[in-house]
């Protein structure tokens, strides 16, 4: 079967750092995506990891461990605009993604 | 247009009616997808198309049909709507041939079936 787990909701303080975890068990693996989705809007691409290790892109970083079936998204210097849902998705074949239910991140001043 | 568009933005539909959700992209992407998103659940794939003229079933295809007559358009049809099809529907596209991988999403259609 296919399974992707993320925490349902997290709360963090403006200016702080937060780590959102994602664990997966899938029949295939061709990479892992993180997307951001603001309420009422479409998901937008944040990062893609296919090899183990850390990918850094400005305030956002994403880590992957294929042997552990584990990824995390690290957000630094949190801003109020970072309040959104963060979706983890695994590419299981050439064109197909399996999605987690998403983590709603609430930023408090 | 730039990117991917969907129509209508929202719709209230009586059960049993037929409805087509439209999706158009101008990025010349080979692959297109239809997802539904329900509260507490992840995006679930309904149907997809790897290239014009071909379609495939996703995780939740029952009650839906698609066609891909050309590269740009990928309409989703509900033949006889039921209340369980109340959801937000997202169309997406990607250039899987070039290996970019990223899926680009349309703004979504909020459908309510009564």
């Amino acid at each position: 079967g296919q399974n992707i787990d993320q925490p349902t909701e997290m709360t963090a303080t403006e200016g702080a750092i937060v780590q959102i975890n994602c664990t997966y068990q899938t029949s295939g693996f061709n990479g892992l995506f993180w997307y951001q989705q603001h309420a009422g809007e479409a998901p937008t691409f944040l990062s893609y990891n296919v090899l183990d290790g850390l990918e850094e892109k400005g305030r956002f970083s994403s880590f992957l461990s294929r042997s552990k079936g584990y990824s995390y998204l690290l957000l630094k210097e949190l801003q109020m605009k970072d309040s959104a849902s963060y979706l983890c998705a695994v590419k299981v074949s050439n064109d197909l993604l399996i999605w987690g239910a998403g983590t709603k991140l609430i930023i408090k001043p | 247009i730039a990117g991917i568009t969907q129509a209508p933005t929202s719709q209230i539909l009586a059960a049993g009616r037929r409805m087509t959700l439209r999706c158009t992209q101008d990025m010349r992407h080979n692959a297109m997808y239809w997802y539904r998103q329900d509260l507490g659940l992840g995006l679930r794939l309904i149907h997809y198309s790897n290239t014009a003229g071909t379609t495939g079933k996703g995780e939740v295809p029952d009650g839906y049909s698609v066609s891909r007559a050309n590269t740009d358009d990928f309409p989703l049809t509900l033949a006889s709507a039921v209340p369980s099809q109340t959801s937000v529907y997202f169309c997406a596209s990607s250039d899987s041939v070039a290996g970019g991988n990223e899926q680009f999403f349309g703004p979504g259609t909020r459908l309510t079936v009564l």
Side-chain angles (χ1 to χ4, degrees):
Chain A
Q2 319 270 38
N3 193 48
I4 298 180
D5 288 319
Q6 309 177 231
T8 303
E9 187 175 296
M10 299 181 70
T11 302
T13 304
E14 189 178 16
I17 298 173
V18 71
Q19 177 175 313
I20 302 173
N21 296 325
C22 171
T23 58
Y24 62 89
Q25 292 176 305
T26 57
S27 57
F29 183 85
N30 290 299
L32 186 143
F33 292 83
W34 284 97
Y35 278 74
Q36 181 189 60
Q37 185 177 25
H38 285 101
E41 298 182 6
T44 55
F45 171 79
L46 286 178
S47 68
Y48 173 63
N49 294 68
V50 65
L51 300 176
D52 289 352
L54 188 68
E55 295 277 345
E56 297 187 77
K57 190 184 294 186
R59 293 190 298 115
F60 292 9
S61 303
S62 57
F63 172 83
L64 174 67
S65 170
R66 288 172 296 171
S67 63
K68 295 182 179 178
Y70 168 69
S71 173
Y72 67 73
L73 181 69
L74 191 71
L75 292 75
K76 303 176 185 176
E77 301 170 14
L78 286 169
Q79 302 175 10
M80 297 304 293
K81 68 179 182 180
D82 298 329
S83 292
S85 289
Y86 292 86
L87 314 180
C88 173
V90 172
K91 187 177 183 183
V92 296
S93 66
N94 198 37
D95 294 303
L96 301 183
L97 302 183
I98 302 295
W99 297 78
T103 299
K104 182 179 180 180
L105 178 63
I106 300 168
I107 309 297
K108 295 185 175 180
Chain B
I1 55 174
I4 185 165
T5 60
Q6 294 183 234
T9 302
S10 65
Q11 182 75 45
I12 299 174
L13 189 67
R17 297 297 295 269
R18 181 183 179 90
M19 176 73 192
T20 295
L21 307 185
R22 300 184 298 278
C23 176
T24 299
Q25 54 106 356
D26 66 355
M27 298 175 283
R28 308 303 294 172
H29 286 170
N30 64 293
M32 296 187 75
Y33 314 85
W34 273 106
Y35 293 96
R36 59 178 290 172
Q37 187 175 41
D38 303 290
L39 196 64
L41 300 176
L43 289 162
R44 292 184 292 167
L45 184 66
I46 304 171
H47 286 285
Y48 66 96
S49 169
N50 291 329
T51 188
T54 68
T55 63
K57 294 182 179 180
E59 180 184 356
V60 289
D62 294 343
Y64 306 95
S65 64
V66 292
S67 62
R68 186 89 183 276
N70 57 60
T71 298
D72 298 345
D73 301 300
F74 192 43
L76 176 74
T77 297
L78 289 68
S80 179
V82 295
S84 62
Q85 292 177 313
T86 293
S87 187
V88 180
Y89 291 85
F90 287 103
C91 180
S93 71
S94 69
D95 183 356
S96 63
V97 174
N101 297 300
E102 174 188 353
Q103 290 189 8
F104 294 82
F105 284 80
T109 294
R110 186 174 298 274
L111 182 67
T112 302
V113 182
L114 301 176

